[in-house]
Each structure stands twice: as structure tokens, then as C-alpha cells.
């Protein structure tokens, strides 16, 4: 894969992730969860929360494109790949790493997983949008 092709895939992944991240971010904003994201940067500001959330979306978009194109995971099926990616992000971040970073218990129990169901739905919606927009942009 040449540099131009790689750049095209990365830009498509980032743009697609920003689209999915914006929708998921709006859901979190309406539920008052954006200050929790800001706390990752030592703030409670809604503006900081949005900046952190969208910066994370950029990193996730580049990661998705690299995995999708480089590793060929679910090649030709970007919506399914997006769903799997969203599921993995949910398991890694709100269920595992974010609680650890915030001094809370990891959510790997039935009650913990049920309590993160709204986040799971948000991550799956993010994944579908990521896959749809990536497919449209990467043609």
C-alpha cells in the first residue's frame, strides 16, 4: 500500500469516526455524561469533554482504518467491522479502562455489564455510523 492510499484510508477512518463520535457525543451530552469524559483531562468543562471525546474519535478512526485495511479484518464488510469495533471499544473502555482510570471498580460482572448497557448501545450505533460513513468515503 502506498502513502497516498494509506492517507486516503486514514482520512476516511478519521472522518467516519468523527461522524459516529459526534452522534454518540450528542447522546452523551443530552445525558449529562460529557463532563465525565472531561475528567479524563482533569476538567469538568463540557467544552473540554467534547474536545477529549472528539480527539479520542480521531485516534479510534485511524485505528479502525489501519485494522480494516492493514489487517483485513472483515474486509469488504465495513458496517460489520464497525459493529465489532464498537463492541470491542465498549468492552475495553467504559467497562474496563475508564473505571480503572477513575478509581472505580471494573464493570466485569453481570450487574456491571447491565449498568453499561446504554453505553453498549451508543458504541454499537457509533460502529454502524463508522462503517457506513467509512464505506461511503473509502470508495
Amino acid at each position: 500500500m502506498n502513502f497516498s492510499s494509506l492517507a486516503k484510508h486514514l482520512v476516511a477512518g478519521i472522518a467516519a469516526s468523527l461522524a459516529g463520535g459526534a452522534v454518540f457525543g450528542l447522546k452523551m451530552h443530552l445525558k449529562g455524561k460529557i463532563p465525565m469524559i472531561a475528567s479524563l483531562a482533569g476538567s469538568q468543562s463540557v467544552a473540554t469533554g467534547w474536545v477529549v471525546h472528539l480527539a479520542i474519535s480521531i485516534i479510534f478512526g485511524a485505528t479502525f482504518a489501519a485494522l480494516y485495511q492493514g489487517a483485513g479484518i472483515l474486509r469488504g464488510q465495513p458496517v460489520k467491522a464497525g459493529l465489532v469495533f464498537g463492541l470491542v471499544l465498549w468492552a475495553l473502555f467504559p467497562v474496563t479502562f475508564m473505571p480503572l482510570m477513575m478509581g472505580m471498580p471494573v464493570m466485569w460482572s453481570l450487574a456491571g455489564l447491565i449498568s453499561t448497557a446504554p453505553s453498549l448501545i451508543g458504541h454499537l450505533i457509533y460502529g454502524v455510523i463508522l462503517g457506513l460513513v467509512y464505506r461511503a468515503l473509502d470508495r
Side-chain angles (χ1 to χ4, degrees):
M1 180 179 314
N2 63 38
F3 180 76
S4 174
S5 177
L6 175 62
K8 176 185 169 246
H9 296 308
L10 288 175
V11 168
I14 290 167
S17 187
L18 284 170
V23 171
F24 189 20
L26 181 60
K27 174 193 172 289
M28 289 191 310
H29 183 90
L30 294 173
K31 298 279 187 182
K33 301 290 186 182
I34 291 293
M36 181 181 68
I37 302 301
S39 71
L40 296 172
S43 173
Q44 291 297 310
S45 161
V46 170
T48 301
W50 271 102
V51 168
V52 169
H53 177 71
L54 294 176
I56 292 168
S57 292
I58 289 169
I59 294 165
F60 288 164
T63 302
F64 175 81
L67 288 172
Y68 184 76
Q69 293 299 328
I73 297 170
L74 294 172
R75 178 82 65 151
Q77 301 178 47
V79 176
K80 286 182 184 177
L83 272 169
V84 169
F85 192 70
L87 179 64
V88 169
L89 292 179
W90 168 76
L92 288 175
F93 293 95
V95 174
T96 305
F97 294 129
M98 282 188 63
L100 288 173
M101 292 169 58
M102 301 170 100
M104 297 167 31
V106 174
M107 307 297 276
W108 284 106
S109 67
L110 181 58
L113 294 175
I114 290 169
S115 74
T116 64
S119 180
L120 171 61
I121 293 165
H123 280 87
L124 294 177
I125 291 168
Y126 159 84
V128 168
I129 294 168
L130 170 68
L132 288 170
V133 174
Y134 186 81
R135 181 177 60 195
L137 295 176
D138 199 52
R139 290 185 183 229

